[in-house]
Each structure stands twice: as C-alpha cells, then as structure tokens.
Amino acid sequence: MADSTRPVPAAPRADRPVYVIGGGPGGLAAAYALRAQGIRAVVLEKSDRVGASWRGHYDRLRLHTTRRLSALPGLPMPRRFGRWVARDDVVRYLEKYAERHELEIVTGVEVSRVERTPDGTGWLLHATGGRELTGGAVVVATGFNHTPRVPDWPGRETYTGEFLHASAYRNAEGFAGRDVLVVGVGNTGAEIAVDLVEGGAARVRLSVRTAPHIVRRSTAGWAAQYTGVLCRRLPVGLVDRLARPMARLSVPDLSAHGLPRPSTGLYSRVKEGAIPVQDVGLVDAVRDGRVEVVAAVEGFEGGKVVLADGSRVEPDAVVAATGYVRGLEPLVGHLGVLDSRGRPVVHGPRTPDGAPGLYFTGFTNPISGMFRELAIDAVRIARAVAKDGARRDDTVQVSRLPA
C-alpha cells in the first residue's frame, strides 16, 4: 500500500495510469483485475484506510451473501469467517486483499471533479491539496452508500429527542430502556430494529411507508442469494409469479401486525431499486409484538413524530434508516453521465456516450449480491480497458506494468 504522505505522481502522456476512485471492495477488485491485465492502476482513497465504509457500519452487520459467492477476484474468503461473514471480517479481508496483491493505494486523497483533458486523450482529476492528476482511464468506485439521505421532514428541527441517521448507529448500548422509532424497513432498518430489541430498548417501533418483500436468508441450506443469481437470467414477470407462492410458504402473513404482503411483484420491485428484506429476526420480532409496525413519518412537532395515519408518537430517539444517495453530481455530473436519480447511465465494462475510458462499478444493488457483481464487473472493466488500450495509438495508451 502506498504511503499516504507522499504526493500522487502525475504521469506523462505516454505513461498514464488508470485511476480508481475509492478503496472499497469495488475499487480494490478493479485495481487487482487491471494489474492482472498488466495495467498500472492507482487507487485514490479519501480516508486513511481501505474499506472505510465497512468500518463505519453497525456492529451486528453480516454479509447477506455467502462467503463463497462474496470473494473478490484473486483471493477466496477464509473458511473460518463462516458462511455469513461479519463486518469486522470483511474489513480484515479487504486489508489482506490490498496487501496480498500489493495494490498501489494512496490514502488521504479525495477526488472532487473528473473532466476530460484539454487534448481529449485522457482524464484530468482534481483532488485534495490542489492536485491535478492525469489518467488514461478512470474507474469510479465511490460506493452505493456514499452520502446519508434524510428526508426533508417538516418540523424536524423542532424535535427535542435524539435523532440520528442509521449510518451513525453502531449498537443498542446507548438505547437500553429507551423508546426508539426506526424509520425505514430496508435491510438496515429491519436489522437495527431487531438489534435494539435484543439490546434492551424498552420499546421499538418501525415506521413503514411501503411494505417490503421479505425472504428467508437461507431455507434448508439453500441461500436466497442462489435464487437471486438464477433470477437474473429469467424474465421479470416470471420471477414475480414464482415468488408469490414461495413467499406464502416460507414467510408468515404479517398483515395483522401492520406488514401486509406487497401487491407488486418481487423482481419488479428489485428493478425499481428495492431489494427484498432478508429476515434475520424481524419476522419473529414483529409477530411477537417486540417490534411494532407504525405508519410512515410525515413530520415532527416538538418532541412528537407525526405519522401518515394522523397519529403522533413521542419516542426518546429516532433512527432514520432512510438510505443514501450516490453523491456523484459534483464528481461527474457535468459530463452528462448520470440519470435523473443521480446514478450512472451505464456500469461495468460499458462507458457512457461521449466519455470513453470512464467506468463505474458498485452503483447498482443487485439481487444476486453486491460483492459478487463487483467481482464480475472488475474483470470485465479490466478487459475493456486492455482492449481499448490495444486500439489506441501508443502515445495515449494507459501505463502498463513491466513484463
């Protein structure tokens, strides 16, 4: 790993590296795959260590995907991590990955803007400290969970209780004996609600706007991820139809507890960006009344939270599990490569129209598993970069490692 105190080298035109922005799993995998193609890749990470986002997740988090299908290219995850890998073990794996493959990583460098070089032959990166770095290609891997999103609820500034986004939640220690409202029923909100119950919170309510699809993480040893991998090859409508009877067989009806079965199809929702909630205790907690499902949050009035059904609750604390935004607009928004939701218009080995050599990885939330898709994308991106370099004139090729 490179020393974060030394300057990032600005390469001459004939020796331009591929700059990888972000030292998480996607960025590390891309850097390794590029090296495997003989291409020099420099990872730029804004924090002081790799895997920064994983270090900040809540304590109980485990991968919802299996160890065997979550390894990045070139290094299996150790069997001792178990089938469902814990957060701290993911961090250890990422550290080992960077070390084992001797990746060129420069920490403490944040890229604020990417633009074409004046001559149009490469990419100019504006980074901290006034750095201007020129690369033959760029892989943007800043992460799906980049910037916490908190809805602009009316009156939130008047709330007198404790308020935090789920990104700041670590464990239930500070919430023992307290009344807590968790807002949002994605995987994060569901797990935090269960964590609070098990950690001794006096009362836990879960605010739900749209009932989610809930699936078992594993049934008779068959991981939900395996089904997710298979589903990617099937028509959306067919998966929707097959998922309905499976849900009735595997997950009890929670309608009486405020969580009716969704009216829209499972895979249709996935295509809209809503991944099913993997049950790691939520179903039992709701059925037993330990987690109370309430209506969506509409606003705040002093110490009270106003819900969509007109009721008001007065929790001691609110945890907003309301998701993230990609935060790509300042970085590449001026290039016309983002859609209306701020996500890249293409990802993996494809590059946007008018932006050759600009790649994105990790900005989808696939049902088949994020780590698995990052690994696949990394190899495909590296091949695309190598193929593109082979087509170019020698004076503008990306830098290649010594044979």
Side-chain angles (χ1 to χ4, degrees):
M1 187 181 297
D3 184 347
S4 62
T5 61
R6 79 181 188 186
V8 182
R13 180 174 175 177
D15 188 33
R16 292 173 177 173
V18 175
Y19 282 112
V20 180
I21 307 175
L28 298 181
Y32 164 77
L34 286 162
R35 282 179 60 91
Q37 290 285 339
I39 298 169
R40 183 186 174 209
V42 179
V43 179
L44 304 177
E45 167 55 44
K46 68 178 182 180
S47 73
D48 60 350
R49 294 175 292 180
V50 299
S53 63
W54 270 90
R55 297 175 192 275
H57 287 313
Y58 49 94
D59 295 349
R60 74 176 283 145
L61 178 65
R62 290 180 175 271
L63 286 177
H64 289 167
T65 53
T66 66
R67 170 181 52 82
R68 294 184 64 185
L69 292 186
S70 299
L72 302 179
L75 185 66
M77 286 189 171
R79 291 185 65 182
R80 68 178 183 275
F81 286 177
R83 194 181 196 195
W84 312 107
V85 183
R87 179 202 63 185
D88 290 349
D89 285 332
V90 171
V91 172
R92 292 186 186 98
Y93 174 74
L94 296 178
E95 291 174 338
K96 187 66 175 180
Y97 191 87
E99 177 187 350
R100 173 71 63 86
H101 296 308
E102 299 180 340
L103 302 182
E104 189 174 351
I105 302 169
V106 185
T107 57
V109 175
E110 182 174 8
V111 179
S112 57
R113 185 178 174 89
V114 176
E115 58 189 29
R116 295 291 285 172
T117 54
D119 62 6
T121 62
W123 292 96
L124 181 64
L125 286 68
H126 299 271
T128 49
R131 297 177 177 91
E132 292 188 348
L133 313 172
T134 304
V138 174
V139 180
V140 181
T142 50
F144 192 82
N145 295 341
H146 186 271
T147 304
R149 184 186 76 88
V150 177
D152 187 21
W153 285 307
R156 187 170 71 83
E157 68 283 355
T158 70
Y159 180 59
T160 54
E162 181 180 0
F163 184 96
L164 67 155
H165 187 269
S167 59
Y169 178 89
R170 294 295 170 267
N171 53 57
E173 184 177 337
F175 299 92
R178 302 174 69 189
D179 183 335
V180 187
L181 173 68
V182 180
V183 185
V185 70
N187 279 293
T188 296
E191 287 201 38
I192 288 177
V194 173
D195 194 48
L196 287 164
V197 166
E198 295 178 354
R203 186 176 189 179
V204 178
R205 283 174 283 210
L206 182 60
S207 172
V208 176
R209 184 172 296 278
T210 303
H213 286 276
I214 302 175
V215 298
R216 298 292 189 187
R217 186 168 64 178
S218 178
T219 303
W222 179 267
Q225 183 186 13
Y226 299 159
T227 304
V229 172
L230 295 175
C231 286
R232 298 206 73 179
R233 299 180 179 274
L234 297 175
V236 173
L238 176 60
V239 176
D240 284 349
R241 290 193 296 273
L242 293 174
R244 292 189 188 101
M246 290 299 297
R248 287 194 293 269
L249 288 172
S250 60
V251 179
D253 186 1
L254 300 174
S255 299
H257 303 279
L259 277 182
R261 297 192 188 277
S263 57
T264 52
L266 183 149
Y267 204 25
S268 294
R269 291 277 292 276
V270 169
K271 289 297 186 179
E272 296 171 358
I275 293 295
V277 171
Q278 290 203 10
D279 178 38
V280 290
L282 179 67
V283 169
D284 287 343
V286 169
R287 189 165 50 179
D288 297 343
R290 291 175 293 145
V291 170
E292 306 169 45
V293 177
V294 298
V297 171
E298 290 295 313
F300 291 77
E301 291 180 356
K304 296 182 179 180
V305 182
V306 182
L307 304 179
D309 60 5
S311 64
R312 286 162 172 73
V313 295
E314 195 169 356
D316 301 318
V318 173
V319 180
T322 46
Y324 297 79
V325 294
R326 312 292 81 82
L328 290 170
E329 287 81 0
L331 187 69
V332 296
H334 55 286
L335 298 172
V337 298
L338 304 179
D339 64 17
S340 59
R341 295 189 296 173
R343 301 185 183 188
V345 293
V346 297
H347 70 278
R350 297 174 58 198
T351 59
D353 293 340
L358 181 63
Y359 301 88
F360 296 88
T361 183
F363 296 99
T364 60
N365 197 9
I367 194 172
S368 51
M370 178 69 81
F371 272 55
R372 178 181 183 273
E373 297 304 321
L374 290 174
I376 293 172
D377 273 354
V379 173
R380 290 175 175 171
I381 288 171
R383 289 174 180 167
V385 172
K387 184 177 180 180
D388 183 57
R391 289 197 302 263
R392 297 190 190 189
D393 183 89
D394 287 342
T395 59
V396 296
Q397 282 187 356
V398 296
S399 175
R400 289 193 169 270
L401 298 168

